Amino acid sequence: MKTELEKVLPSEIERRSFEIITKELGGKKILPGTEAIVKRCIHTSADFEYADNLVFSEGAVERALRAVHKGACIVTDTQMAKAGINKKKLAEYGGEVYCFMSDEDVAKKAKEIGTTRASISMDKAAELAKPLIFAIGNAPTALMRLYELIQEGKVKPQLIIGVPVGFVNVVQSKELILSLPDIPYIVARGRKGGSNIAACIVNALLYM
Amino acid sequence: MKTELEKVLPSEIERRSFEIITKELGGKKILPGTEAIVKRCIHTSADFEYADNLVFSEGAVERALRAVHKGACIVTDTQMAKAGINKKKLAEYGGEVYCFMSDEDVAKKAKEIGTTRASISMDKAAELAKPLIFAIGNAPTALMRLYELIQEGKVKPQLIIGVPVGFVNVVQSKELILSLPDIPYIVARGRKGGSNIAACIVNALLYM
């Protein structure tokens, strides 16, 4: 082994990780009130680019926290993101997580129309009569459909976490969300993101 | 919107993404036989660092494929990684995925001993009388315990996917795995990795 193991108690690993992140961020300017989210994204990815690419609409964190504390539910576009969200903590506020990606009716309709399951799963989510936070870490088509549903007045999210990852229409789908005037958002500008980042932003809100 | 949407059929998005990745990798040297794995990690993260940080033991991919095709089972250290693995495809070969992180006996024993659940979940996995591939995307303590269990002759993995992410003992735990002479491994050297990367490497093997 090249380096000695650091002696850290299990219960201290996360605290120690955040110490290291804070130290390495140095004097980097981070929007006040968003530090816990930015640092948790770095903690989840070991990628300091999240200190630069996360964009928060004005008051997004406060509005998101109010929604969470009032029992808003989370909609994800992958089972992975759903698995990564602290559902026990969310349930303490009365919320739960929905992911419709594996539903047979969603797969069937997507095939019929010639679109993605992610897109159809947004239609299904829009029918939920609940305050919703959308945590999209994978499919730009989910964000694009969500944008349309908002324009059509069919859904009004409490928050959009727009962090799909990838190479085809990912950047563009995020720019669509950034153009929304009235919907709170947290977006990872550019190509990066992922189900892990989507889940970690939800968890950061739950732990604040 | 700043950029036009690219018109791509749902069924073509992945192929198109891999085309872009291949183009942007340019003439970059990638170990023959590992391209599908390296590119899928980039596809999952939009992070080209995976073209540099993935380390494969000699013949790791061939040995891993043989194990998968013979029905090896996968052990993960998070429910997220388990959620991300294509379990339908794995089942076609006779394999299944285990994650013991949420098991009550694991939590209880970890608390008694003062170690992590991830570490104890490796002990539990070692008792499985099956050929196993370990896909560790989160906890360095899982890799460290796995290393000990191998040294003690208590488990002999078909493959270790060693890609935990983070800041405390992550680099060191990976170097431990890199020091193993006889066990096939795929390791993301350095701090980067994650449950998404662990799942994506398993899926890359399943799709090869």
Side-chain angles (χ1 to χ4, degrees), chain A residues 1 5-6, chain B residues 119 122 136 139-151 168-170 172-174 176-177:
Chain A
M1 275 190 66
L5 285 174
E6 193 173 345
Chain B
S119 172
M122 294 297 107
I136 308 301
T141 54
L143 273 194
M144 284 149 60
R145 183 59 187 148
L146 189 53
Y147 176 84
E148 289 172 352
L149 289 165
I150 292 165
Q151 301 290 9
V168 176
N169 291 332
V170 165
Q172 294 92 317
S173 71
K174 290 171 179 172
L176 274 180
I177 300 306

Side-chain angles (χ1 to χ4, degrees), chain B residues 12-195:
Chain B
E12 291 291 300
I13 294 172
E14 186 169 303
R15 195 191 50 74
R16 177 75 188 118
S17 300
F18 276 80
E19 265 179 23
I20 296 170
I21 293 165
T22 302
K23 194 180 158 205
E24 294 196 16
L25 278 169
K28 179 140 198 106
K29 282 256 186 305
I30 294 173
L31 188 68
T34 70
E35 296 92 344
I37 295 170
V38 172
K39 288 180 187 175
R40 189 164 288 276
C41 288
I42 296 170
H43 177 254
T44 287
S45 62
D47 190 340
F48 281 82
E49 254 188 67
Y50 288 100
D52 293 310
N53 69 15
L54 287 173
V55 187
F56 298 79
S57 65
E58 203 177 323
V61 176
E62 295 77 3
R63 290 170 74 176
L65 287 176
R66 263 201 305 277
V68 166
H69 296 161
K70 280 186 182 170
C73 289
I74 316 288
V75 177
T76 69
D77 66 330
T78 60
Q79 301 295 347
M80 258 193 110
K82 182 177 175 179
I85 291 169
N86 189 332
K87 289 167 286 291
K88 206 169 153 188
K89 190 85 189 157
L90 182 65
E92 287 174 18
Y93 297 116
E96 52 187 316
V97 187
Y98 296 94
C99 176
F100 300 121
M101 288 297 288
S102 315
D103 293 11
E104 269 183 42
D105 58 330
V106 168
K108 191 165 167 266
K109 203 169 166 195
K111 206 169 179 182
E112 275 170 21
I113 302 183
T115 184
T116 64
R117 285 182 298 147
S119 172
I120 300 296
S121 77
M122 294 297 107
D123 288 273
K124 191 160 176 177
E127 285 165 22
L128 293 167
K130 297 182 178 191
L132 297 175
I133 291 174
F134 288 80
I136 308 301
N138 187 58
T141 54
L143 273 194
M144 284 149 60
R145 183 59 187 148
L146 189 53
Y147 176 84
E148 289 172 352
L149 289 165
I150 292 165
Q151 301 290 9
E152 293 164 11
K154 289 182 181 157
V155 68
K156 198 179 175 199
Q158 302 290 310
L159 174 73
I160 300 174
I161 298 169
V163 297
V165 60
F167 298 88
V168 176
N169 291 332
V170 165
V171 171
Q172 294 92 317
S173 71
K174 290 171 179 172
E175 294 298 323
L176 274 180
I177 300 306
L178 293 172
S179 76
L180 289 167
D182 304 322
I183 308 286
Y185 57 72
I186 301 173
V187 168
R189 212 164 198 160
R191 285 171 166 179
K192 286 189 177 175
S195 297

Side-chain angles (χ1 to χ4, degrees), chain A residues 36-74:
Chain A
I37 294 170
V38 172
K39 288 180 188 175
R40 189 164 289 277
C41 287
I42 297 170
H43 177 254
T44 286
S45 62
D47 189 340
F48 281 82
E49 256 188 67
Y50 288 99
D52 293 309
N53 69 15
L54 288 172
V55 187
F56 298 79
S57 65
E58 203 177 322
V61 176
E62 296 76 3
R63 290 171 74 178
L65 287 176
R66 263 202 305 276
V68 166
H69 296 162
K70 279 185 181 171
C73 290
I74 316 289

Side-chain angles (χ1 to χ4, degrees), chain A residues 1 3-6 16-17 21 24 44-46 80 84 165 167-169 172 176 189 191-192 196, chain B residues 1-2 4-6 16-17 21 24 44-47 80 84 165 167-169 172 176 191-192 196:
Chain A
M1 275 190 66
T3 356
E4 291 269 314
L5 285 174
E6 193 173 345
R16 176 77 188 115
S17 299
I21 293 166
E24 295 195 17
T44 286
S45 62
M80 260 192 109
V165 60
F167 298 88
V168 176
N169 291 332
Q172 294 92 319
L176 274 179
R189 212 164 198 160
R191 286 171 166 178
K192 286 188 177 176
N196 51 341
Chain B
M1 274 190 68
K2 291 192 181 156
E4 291 268 314
L5 285 175
E6 193 173 345
R16 177 75 188 118
S17 300
I21 293 165
E24 294 196 16
T44 287
S45 62
D47 190 340
M80 258 193 110
V165 60
F167 298 88
V168 176
N169 291 332
Q172 294 92 317
L176 274 180
R191 285 171 166 179
K192 286 189 177 175
N196 51 341

